[in-house]
Amino acid sequence: METTQQAGEPGAAERRRRELLEAADRVVLRDGPKASMNAIAAEAGITKPILYRHFGDKAGLYQALAVRHTDALLDSLRAALDAPAERRRRVEATLDTYLAAIEARPQVYRFLMHPAEDSHSAERGFDVGLHSAPLLRRLGEELAEVIGERVDLGPGGERLARIWGHGIVGMMHAAGDWWLGERPCERADLVAGLTDLLWGRLATAGNRKDGPGF
């Protein structure tokens, strides 16, 4: 049960919030997009009003989970981009890291990206698309920053880096969504095909002299 003392202690409140997110993760792994606030509250051993006290509503909980998983994904993508390997291998590793992440936790991916038509009636007004678009934009901006830091794109390079960043994220998302749903090929085949599509100008662009290289 929540206590006044817990609510007044930042460390305890942060720890409790993390525990609730871990409980939500367990429900999402089991139920995917059908995960309900009722089920998450039950998993955490609390009442739904207490869950609302921490997150406001399902949109608030969704946003907290999205930040949690996006942060972890971005850390993995940066590690792949900065690995000691030649450029094409790093492009392949970055694409594979994204696809491996959605393959490993497909229910989490579906919860974050796809609405459940048969979700609980009290939560049917929750618009996943309204919340998933900022998640994809954040990934696009982060990738644009990485490209801009590393690759010399000449005049207008900052604008082009943003075009590439958002374009690559859109490609990864659309291709990954299709692949996860149909499994038409091995993951390695999809990685190779997407890398071929991207390689063009990226293969010939030089590294920025003042950047970490790519």
Side-chain angles (χ1 to χ4, degrees):
M1 186 65 66
E2 305 291 298
T3 68
T4 303
Q5 184 181 22
Q6 284 179 321
E9 296 175 0
E14 184 178 337
R15 184 168 59 252
R16 186 59 172 146
R17 183 180 173 88
R18 185 171 61 250
E19 290 169 354
L20 293 176
L21 286 174
E22 288 168 357
D25 262 343
R26 292 193 295 272
V27 175
V28 170
L29 282 170
R30 184 185 73 220
D31 298 342
K34 298 177 186 177
S36 70
M37 296 292 275
N38 280 328
I40 292 167
E43 177 69 23
I46 59 175
T47 62
K48 193 158 73 167
I50 292 176
L51 191 60
Y52 283 134
R53 188 186 308 162
H54 283 273
F55 299 103
D57 54 15
K58 191 173 185 180
L61 177 63
Y62 171 95
Q63 186 175 31
L65 284 171
V67 168
R68 176 184 173 94
H69 288 286
T70 303
D71 285 349
L73 177 59
L74 284 168
D75 286 345
S76 297
L77 292 175
R78 289 190 191 100
L81 284 164
D82 289 332
E86 55 94 14
R87 185 180 292 181
R88 184 181 173 100
R89 288 296 305 146
R90 279 185 282 167
V91 172
E92 291 173 340
T94 303
L95 293 169
D96 189 61
T97 294
Y98 174 82
L99 294 171
I102 68 172
E103 182 180 35
R105 308 191 83 187
Q107 291 288 61
V108 173
Y109 171 80
R110 293 182 180 111
F111 175 81
L112 293 176
M113 293 298 175
H114 292 287
E117 293 180 359
D118 54 350
S119 62
H120 192 277
S121 59
E123 299 168 5
R124 204 161 283 161
F126 176 67
D127 184 352
V128 170
L130 179 67
H131 300 281
S132 61
L135 187 159
L136 292 173
R137 282 199 297 272
R138 181 186 171 199
L139 286 172
E141 288 295 332
E142 292 276 355
L143 184 55
E145 184 176 337
V146 168
I147 292 170
E149 286 175 348
R150 290 160 172 75
V151 182
D152 183 1
L153 298 175
E158 182 179 348
R159 183 186 69 246
L160 186 55
R162 294 187 74 195
I163 291 171
W164 283 16
H166 288 282
I168 291 168
V169 166
M171 180 193 74
M172 288 195 305
H173 171 59
D177 196 79
W178 161 73
W179 173 76
L180 193 65
E182 297 187 16
R183 295 303 178 100
C185 61
E186 296 295 322
R187 194 174 83 215
D189 295 328
L190 182 59
V191 168
L194 294 179
T195 303
D196 285 342
L197 182 61
L198 283 174
W199 195 230
R201 184 172 170 186
L202 188 55
T204 60
N207 286 333
R208 283 185 58 134
K209 292 180 180 178
D210 57 346
F214 180 42

